[in-house]
Amino acid sequence: MSRFTLPRDLYHGKGALETLKTLKGKRAIVCVGGGSMKRGGFLDRALAYLKEAGMETKVIEGIESDPSVETVMNGAAVMQEFQPDWIVAMGGGSPIDAAKAMWIKYEYPETTFADMCKVFGLPKLRTKAHFCAISSTSGTATEVTAFSIITDYQKGIKYPIADFEITPDIAIVDPDLVHTMPQKLTAHTGMDAMTHAIEAYVSTAHSAYADALAIHAIELIQANLVKSYNGDMEARDIMHDAQCLAGMAFSNALLGIVHSMAHKTGAAFADYGAHIIHGAANAMYLPKVIKFNSKDPAALKRYGVIADYMHLGGKSDEEKVDLLIAYLRKMNDDLNIPHSINHYGSKGLPEDKGFVPEEVFLERVERIAADAILDACTGSNPRQPSQEEMVKLLKCCYYDTEVDF
């Protein structure tokens, strides 16, 4: 028996933010990030709608990119004091992910971060509050997923929290919120969405329900991501729906080792002054992982189906895989995303010499590989890598060399 879980209600289209005025409750906490929701006036609008619903509100703001365990614990303490019956998270993946983890700690104060990271091991939520997620970027789709990514900076590792309990009750997908997305963020979140859809389709947990969502998301992203990056607002509106479709697919079909590697390399070199931004990491690693996974016959066939839906040509599945890889690499070029870690600049753009020194990467790659194998996303990858294979794959991602194993 399998399970397919989505938010109870998903409100989409221009003006969907007004849904907040229909919520029933006494108190709502609103979680936001670094200021884009405030600058765009969306935070004030949300607070006004909640006030119209008769709720007292409190704001937790300044949630950082790649939110930390400390941010989660501090936010949960605020919730304990305020006692909200609605948690409303607005912004990109970071504030929504942080709010999900705060929610767990708020409902079960004795819960440790290690407890949260037990895959599909959370207790029943909604004993104190319901959760509404409002996305302002077109990539993570955390507004519809059973996942949250939190960083333990002491270990330099991003940990996925995975449990259907943290699937939001309400998702609001309003394209007005993404019109001010910077170009680089549009690129990185868009390739995150493409990775979600492709990994979901070839995952060992795929199903007919998730397949339809994943394939349509791929088609929409292929047609609209580069246009959105170049400022086409109609395409950007479509991308906001596409990333949500991809999110609904992977929340149920799960992901693979592209995400395992991205999680474990993201903060691994933070002591050198930067992170490898999640969407960019996915974009760099995806072509390499496709080649690695294509040695599995079932994955090979499913990649071929993806290539067919993308109208890439090719007579055999092997040819289709190569054409798919070439297409994705060209997409990275069009979006100004590097192809490899050694050319990944500290601002997420291509540079002749990246911010991660070769000797540092080689010194840490064994540990990163071991951590990636243990990541929650690895279990549903179609080909299970050994430690040696994961090290080789990471090296291919560092040097941009061919995957021939």
Side-chain angles (χ1 to χ4, degrees), residues 101-124:
M102 293 173 192
W103 183 25
I104 301 166
K105 183 71 173 176
Y106 167 51
E107 299 232 357
Y108 293 93
E110 71 283 0
T111 300
T112 66
F113 182 64
D115 292 334
M116 295 182 193
C117 294
K118 295 173 183 175
V119 178
F120 294 98
L122 293 178
K124 290 288 183 184

Side-chain angles (χ1 to χ4, degrees), residues 39 146 152 161 181 185 189 211 214-215 221 248 281 301 321 339 374 376 381 383-385 405:
R39 290 191 300 272
D152 184 332
I161 301 171
M181 264 202 307
L185 185 60
T189 56
D211 285 354
I215 286 293
I221 295 166
M248 290 189 283
K301 184 175 180 61
V321 163
H339 289 297
L374 293 174
N381 195 69
R383 183 181 173 195
Q384 290 298 299
F405 53 92

